[in-house]
Amino acid sequence: DSGGCFKEVKDGKVVETHKGEKLLAHEMINYFSFGADAQVVFEFEQSRTKSQLGNKLVYVRKGTNQVINRPKTMRKMLKHKGGLTNLRGEPIPYRKRDRVMAFLNIPSYSAGANIWRPGKSVNGTFTRQFVGDKRLESATVNTTVDVALHIASAKWSHMGIFRVAQAEGYSVNFAQHRVRKKPTKTYLQVDGEAILAEQ
């Protein structure tokens, strides 16, 4: 396999970076996510305006597009065996139909949404999030609309949000599904900076 590449948006243009590499080392401070939310950010950065209102309208348009053109689910993004494990290699169950997975070091994410606090649990009982406990919380979200509803509804709605795990670290292994020789695309974001991984 010739590897893949990573793409980022610089000054509104998509730029290929790290060609031929399969691993991207990127420091996370607050949160890391992949899926539909990162796709919205990646597409937004290509259409960013100089107006705050204009930028909000771009976000609404990009997010609304996902209602019609449904992004990939975890089932298609992650390997079926070992897609998500803790650092000891033990598998971590997650909802395969969801379209966003986030790893949180702080309570807020995506314009202030606290997706850990109100979420339902997939596999167990969890403690409150504490920034200094050396653990990252992970949660899945069914769609970006669920994140928007959570923010718009004074943060009380937890529809579509599911807590997955609390762990000191995770291993995430992405699936490779080539369709008609087109590369597999996975959208990532690290602290709000969007990256497209192609393999």
Side-chain angles (χ1 to χ4, degrees), residues 5-181:
C5 71
F6 296 94
K7 295 182 178 179
E8 299 178 39
V9 180
K10 305 284 186 192
D11 299 321
K13 305 250 189 269
V14 177
V15 178
E16 191 173 299
T17 58
H18 309 284
K19 187 169 176 63
E21 295 183 26
K22 290 188 174 186
L23 180 66
L24 176 67
H26 206 299
E27 187 173 287
M28 180 203 96
I29 297 171
N30 297 319
Y31 67 88
F32 161 73
S33 69
F34 61 89
D37 63 331
Q39 182 177 351
V40 168
V41 173
F42 190 85
E43 292 172 353
F44 164 77
E45 289 298 337
Q46 297 170 66
S47 306
R48 183 186 281 275
T49 71
K50 295 185 187 223
S51 149
Q52 187 176 10
L53 176 61
N55 285 336
K56 286 184 180 181
L57 292 173
V58 170
Y59 258 115
V60 168
R61 189 178 81 231
K62 298 297 182 188
T64 304
N65 285 345
Q66 290 189 350
V67 174
I68 299 162
N69 302 311
R70 305 288 272 175
K72 288 192 293 187
T73 62
M74 294 297 124
R75 185 181 318 281
K76 290 191 176 176
M77 280 189 268
L78 297 180
K79 288 186 175 180
H80 293 289
K81 287 190 176 182
L84 181 66
T85 67
N86 61 25
L87 295 181
R88 293 183 301 279
E90 300 163 341
I92 297 174
Y94 57 92
R95 286 190 5 152
K96 292 177 175 52
R97 70 175 189 239
D98 289 345
R99 290 175 167 80
V100 175
M101 185 174 288
F103 302 88
L104 312 163
N105 197 34
I106 59 171
S108 65
Y109 145 88
S110 186
N114 183 345
I115 63 171
W116 180 257
R117 181 180 45 84
K120 295 178 183 176
S121 299
V122 170
N123 61 334
T125 305
F126 299 108
T127 61
R128 291 178 61 107
Q129 186 181 34
F130 177 65
V131 176
D133 65 0
K134 297 184 180 178
R135 293 188 300 175
L136 293 175
E137 284 69 27
S138 60
T140 60
V141 184
N142 192 268
T143 67
T144 52
V145 173
D146 294 317
V147 176
L149 287 173
H150 179 63
I151 294 167
S153 62
K155 302 174 179 51
W156 60 264
S157 169
H158 55 73
M159 189 169 72
I161 299 172
F162 290 84
R163 296 187 288 188
V164 174
Q166 287 178 301
E168 291 183 13
Y170 300 86
S171 175
V172 181
N173 296 291
F174 294 102
Q176 194 169 351
H177 299 288
R178 288 185 183 264
V179 179
R180 295 185 205 101
K181 298 189 178 180

